[in-house]
Amino acid sequence: MPRARFNPPERVEHLSILDEYGHVDAALDPRLPASELMRLYRHLILARRWDERMVLLNRQGRIGNYPPFRGQEAASIGPAYVLDPRDWLIPSFRELSALVWHGWPMEKLILGWWGGHEYGASPPEGVNALPLCGPVAGQCLHAAGLAWGCKLRGDGSVVVCFVGDGGTSEGDFYESLNIAGVFRLPLIMVVQNNQWAISMPRSRQTASATLAQKALAFGFDGLQTDGNDILSMVVATREAVDAARAGTGPTLIEALTYRMGPHSTSDDPRKYRDEAEVKMWQRRDPILRFEMYLSDRGLLNDDVKSRVTAEADERIAEAIARADAYQANPLEPFDHCFATRSADLERQRAELEAFLAATGRLPAAPPPPPAPSTPRQVDLSVIHARTFPPRPKQVPVAASR
């Protein structure tokens, strides 16, 4: 048999539109309307200010351990901006700003994972997003299952899933990509390559030149983007979403970004990374370059920046006040264990309820839960055609002995 080299039809490319000095590639500029550019800017500022305030809440003992996302705002908000309300957003644990864009109230996120309340970890009614996920890459499997469901429904909805560079070493990541590739699922996997998985540098995570090229092993395209360039993130995600809606299948987007702060508020990155590296990435800050771009277009000045910052601070303060005002129902945990409570749980719940009543701390009766929706009937005759579309063949392009 001759030796032949295969030319796979899948592609791996790099995309950068807005450099660290605010200079834009005119040929690649998506030319968003001024109103949309300012909408993105307001959310970037909201994300940055909220992240800073969440760190302070942790230091005050008002929330638990918190993973800051300073420097990664564009890599989260850009993909969220492209999605429709019908689409699904699956976060890891740094995508708070993406969840807020997609409709998740800020106070629920404060109350959720870091506030310790079940209410905060429950998706809001009508918002297609899952809660933050602590187990590394576990959310990737959930995303693949949701994408399969979107495909079977045939309603054109897609799924965007976020994972960190450390998550690309987990089996769940590879299993989800394999399923997505085989069944051509409408899944966009966004790898937030922030260069560090706690104290593990990217150079020790994989020998691959890029993380985007991992898509080739599963039969679909990979795209590496400047994750600190919100225009690149918007364009990359829009292309991937359009392809997924058209039935082409999944895309892997590697967002090159940087975790400016610690892995979490219990971490000290000074013990394992060079300060010179941090300073280099500070010059690539996603907000600074976007501000230069907006200023060049005549959309931003010091007065506008001050107003936007004040609006963000006011919104954050209101969300924190709502979170502080929340009164938890001590009986609520019993409602989330099983569909039907066991005899032991019923006994324990009754015991706690009696104690609360005797001490005057029994909360008012909660409203009845909403009636379950009627499951959508899927036409089984078209499932096979949607699941196994024809795929391009790989053709040998050269041969030698």
Side-chain angles (χ1 to χ4, degrees):
M1 290 290 291
R3 177 178 293 180
R5 180 178 178 180
F6 284 89
N7 184 20
E10 296 80 25
R11 302 173 300 161
V12 177
E13 298 177 338
H14 176 82
L15 176 65
S16 179
I17 299 175
L18 188 66
D19 68 17
E20 62 187 271
Y21 304 105
H23 302 148
V24 66
D25 187 319
L28 297 174
D29 189 348
R31 306 186 189 282
L32 298 176
S35 60
E36 292 301 287
L37 291 172
M38 290 306 299
R39 185 169 166 234
L40 284 169
Y41 177 67
R42 288 187 179 91
H43 204 77
L44 285 169
I45 295 300
L46 176 69
R48 177 66 58 88
R49 301 290 287 185
W50 185 31
D51 183 61
E52 293 170 348
R53 189 61 188 275
M54 291 289 276
V55 172
L56 293 178
L57 291 177
N58 168 266
R59 300 308 187 205
Q60 295 167 354
R62 297 166 69 182
I63 63 173
N65 190 34
Y66 173 73
F69 55 80
R70 183 184 183 91
Q72 298 182 226
E73 296 91 347
S76 296
I77 296 171
Y81 169 79
V82 177
L83 298 183
D84 293 341
R86 59 176 166 163
D87 299 322
W88 284 86
L89 190 148
I90 314 303
S92 177
F93 52 82
R94 294 190 201 277
E95 290 75 33
L96 280 75
S97 56
L99 284 171
V100 171
W101 185 285
H102 205 54
W104 201 300
M106 290 167 56
E107 61 268 21
K108 282 183 72 72
L109 291 167
I110 297 171
L111 286 168
W113 192 3
W114 298 288
H117 296 290
E118 288 289 341
Y119 165 76
S122 60
E125 187 70 27
V127 176
N128 289 351
L130 296 189
L132 298 165
C133 184
V136 177
Q139 73 279 7
C140 298
L141 298 178
H142 308 156
L146 283 166
W148 203 338
C150 292
K151 181 166 186 172
L152 295 182
R153 285 180 179 271
D155 59 5
S157 56
V158 305
V159 178
V160 166
C161 178
F162 292 92
V163 65
D165 50 293
T168 65
S169 292
E170 295 291 331
D172 289 353
F173 172 77
Y174 291 100
E175 291 168 13
S176 64
L177 294 186
N178 193 49
I179 291 171
V182 170
F183 297 110
R184 316 308 292 169
L185 302 182
L187 173 65
I188 296 93
M189 185 69 70
V190 179
V191 178
Q192 295 238 31
N193 180 4
N194 67 13
Q195 313 303 318
W196 291 92
I198 309 182
S199 59
M200 178 67 73
R202 158 65 178 84
S203 60
R204 298 291 299 275
Q205 197 68 240
T206 178
S208 298
T210 71
L211 299 179
Q213 71 194 62
K214 293 179 180 290
L216 298 183
F218 304 101
F220 53 88
D221 292 343
L223 179 60
Q224 184 187 72
T225 66
D226 183 342
N228 284 6
D229 169 13
I230 195 163
L231 299 183
S232 290
M233 292 305 302
V234 168
V235 169
T237 309
R238 181 174 288 165
E239 290 179 357
V241 166
D242 289 346
R245 293 201 205 283
T248 302
T251 301
L252 172 61
I253 299 174
E254 175 191 0
L256 290 174
T257 182
Y258 196 75
R259 191 195 77 209
M260 296 302 302
H263 172 75
S264 70
T265 47
S266 63
D267 171 47
D268 183 0
R270 295 172 297 179
K271 296 182 179 296
Y272 54 80
R273 69 184 187 187
D274 189 350
E275 187 62 25
E277 177 185 280
V278 179
K279 290 182 179 179
M280 178 186 69
W281 279 95
Q282 284 176 343
R283 296 193 297 270
R284 303 173 181 175
D285 186 288
I287 295 180
L288 290 179
R289 70 173 69 180
F290 197 52
E291 286 180 338
M292 288 186 280
Y293 170 74
L294 294 176
S295 296
D296 288 344
R297 293 197 53 174
L299 299 175
L300 191 65
N301 54 37
D302 290 342
D303 181 58
V304 175
K305 288 168 64 174
S306 297
R307 291 203 311 269
V308 170
T309 301
E311 291 169 2
D313 289 345
E314 181 179 2
R315 184 175 172 185
I316 293 164
E318 291 172 352
I320 293 173
R322 289 191 294 269
D324 286 341
Y326 174 75
Q327 296 294 321
N329 183 348
L331 298 174
E332 186 180 17
F334 292 97
D335 299 331
H336 301 291
C337 294
F338 301 100
T340 302
R341 287 191 290 268
S342 65
D344 283 343
L345 284 177
E346 288 287 9
R347 176 183 54 78
Q348 293 172 25
R349 188 183 188 283
E351 182 179 345
L352 177 59
E353 186 174 14
F355 170 78
L356 294 172
T359 56
R361 288 182 285 173
L362 184 65
S373 59
T374 303
R376 177 187 171 101
Q377 298 298 316
V378 177
D379 184 358
L380 299 179
S381 65
V382 300
I383 287 181
H384 189 276
R386 290 177 180 165
T387 306
F388 299 100
R391 301 186 59 187
K393 295 181 179 180
Q394 292 183 339
V395 181
V397 296
S400 62
R401 292 188 182 275

